[in-house]
């Protein structure tokens, strides 16, 4: 079926991944502190999740805190982690009641022990839910993800459990932090920027890319619908010849 003949209502991506960008600029335009932008961005997360559930998306991955974000001012890092703690303590039970499974991907060891324990509790509580899987990328970097997978495979080879010629793309993917999760069908970035910014580099090899000129705190159900409509109108060929 050609792109022009696609029924946009019939094609829903299984996995949507979002680079949530623009919180700081949204706050700056309003003369507000950056924390206000992050709080408004958290409300946009709720709208995005509701829209994903409503439209039947099964996996939603949100780039919440990158490995590079550790280089920000200590006060902003503290604000971000405090905001994360707040939502873990006050929103997880609600998400659990709505059938949301919560997973965290990234170098979580960089967070303190108490926060890691809260992350683990959220995963344990919701692990059997099947309405939608919400993956939050925390302390995440695509290059770091690839490196840690390579190290795990190298260790298996060194220990004699694996031969180098047994390493396949499938086996490599199973060592990534997203193991067991299908690759994203579409990657969205807000704020008008046109970069992946070290997000899901391996996993996004064949993802459709959608860039929106809207700051993340302003993201709503209408923008999500635009993403799905844009995705449905594209023809995914995965390197094959186009249909006629």
């Amino acid at each position: 079926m050609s792109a022009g003949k696609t029924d946009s209502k019939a094609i829903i991506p299984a996995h949507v991944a979002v680079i949530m960008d623009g919180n700081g600029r949204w706050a700056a335009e309003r003369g507000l502190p950056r924390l206000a932008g992050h709080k408004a961005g958290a409300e946009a997360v709720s709208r995005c999740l509701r829209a994903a559930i409503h439209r039947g998306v099964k996996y939603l991955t949100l780039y919440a805190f990158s490995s590079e974000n550790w280089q920000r001012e200590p006060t902003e890092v503290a604000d971000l982690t405090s905001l994360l703690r707040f939502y873990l303590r006050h929103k997880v039970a609600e998400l659990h009641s709505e059938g949301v499974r919560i997973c965290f991907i990234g170098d979580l060891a960089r967070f303190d022990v108490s926060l890691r324990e809260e992350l683990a509790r959220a995963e344990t509580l919701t692990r059997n839910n099947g309405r939608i899987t919400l993956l939050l990328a925390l302390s995440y970097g695509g290059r770091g993800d690839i490196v840690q997978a390579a190290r795990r495979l190298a260790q298996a080879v060194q220990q004699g459990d694996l031969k180098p010629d047994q390493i396949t793309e499938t086996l490599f993917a199973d060592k990534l932090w997203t193991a067991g999760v299908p690759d994203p069908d579409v990657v969205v970035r807000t704020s008008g920027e046109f970069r992946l910014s070290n997000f899901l580099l391996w996993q996004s090899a064949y993802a459709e890319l959608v860039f929106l000129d809207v700051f993340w705190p302003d993201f709503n159900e209408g923008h999500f619908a635009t993403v799905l409509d844009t995705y449905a109108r594209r023809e995914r060929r995965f390197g094959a010849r186009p249909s006629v």
Side-chain angles (χ1 to χ4, degrees):
M1 180 181 292
S2 65
K5 297 180 180 179
T6 297
D7 179 359
S8 60
K9 295 182 179 180
I11 300 177
I12 300 296
H15 186 175
V16 175
V18 185
I19 301 170
M20 306 180 294
D21 192 25
N23 290 350
R25 280 170 286 170
W26 181 92
E29 282 190 355
R30 290 159 176 77
L32 299 171
R34 291 180 66 85
L35 179 57
H38 295 312
K39 288 181 176 179
E43 295 303 313
V45 168
S46 296
R47 293 193 295 270
C48 182
L49 178 58
R50 286 198 303 268
I53 292 173
H54 176 70
R55 298 298 292 268
V57 172
K58 300 305 294 181
Y59 296 88
L60 177 66
T61 299
L62 302 178
Y63 203 10
F65 189 91
S66 75
S67 53
E68 290 79 15
N69 286 162
W70 289 108
Q71 301 171 28
R72 295 188 177 184
E73 292 293 327
T75 53
E76 184 174 2
V77 173
D79 285 341
L80 287 168
T81 53
S82 294
L83 191 61
L84 175 60
R85 287 181 192 274
F86 174 84
Y87 277 90
L88 285 169
R89 293 171 182 174
H90 298 280
K91 297 294 183 179
V92 169
E94 177 184 339
L95 295 177
H96 176 52
S97 68
E98 295 176 356
V100 178
R101 176 190 175 206
I102 305 172
C103 299
F104 302 98
I105 58 172
D107 184 8
L108 304 182
R110 298 190 67 176
F111 293 109
D112 64 55
V113 173
S114 63
L115 181 54
R116 295 202 306 270
E117 289 175 347
E118 293 196 49
L119 297 176
R121 282 195 292 270
E123 287 189 324
T124 300
L125 176 66
T126 65
R127 63 186 176 187
N128 295 320
N129 295 339
R131 192 175 189 186
I132 188 173
T133 296
L134 173 64
L135 294 99
L136 293 177
L138 301 174
S139 188
Y140 179 87
R143 288 180 174 180
D145 195 1
I146 292 170
V147 167
Q148 66 84 28
R151 285 174 176 165
R152 293 170 66 186
L153 289 170
Q155 185 176 33
V157 171
Q158 185 179 47
Q159 294 173 343
D161 298 326
L162 183 69
K163 295 181 180 179
D165 59 6
Q166 293 176 316
I167 298 174
T168 63
E169 290 186 11
T170 299
L171 183 59
F172 192 93
D174 286 342
K175 300 302 180 182
L176 295 170
W177 284 317
T178 52
V181 175
D183 289 343
D185 299 294
V186 57
V187 174
V188 183
R189 182 174 186 143
T190 60
S191 85
E193 301 291 348
F194 298 88
R195 297 184 298 276
L196 286 177
S197 294
N198 201 20
F199 181 54
L200 298 180
L201 299 181
W202 173 282
Q203 298 89 334
S204 298
Y206 285 101
E208 296 296 323
L209 306 180
V210 177
F211 300 98
L212 299 177
D213 191 14
V214 57
F215 291 142
W216 177 249
D218 291 325
F219 188 91
N220 58 35
E221 291 85 349
H223 295 114
F224 196 88
T226 296
V227 169
L228 297 192
D229 185 65
T230 301
Y231 169 80
R233 294 179 185 280
R234 294 184 184 176
E235 184 179 13
R236 306 185 76 199
R237 298 191 294 273
F238 302 97
R241 294 178 61 184
S243 61
V244 295

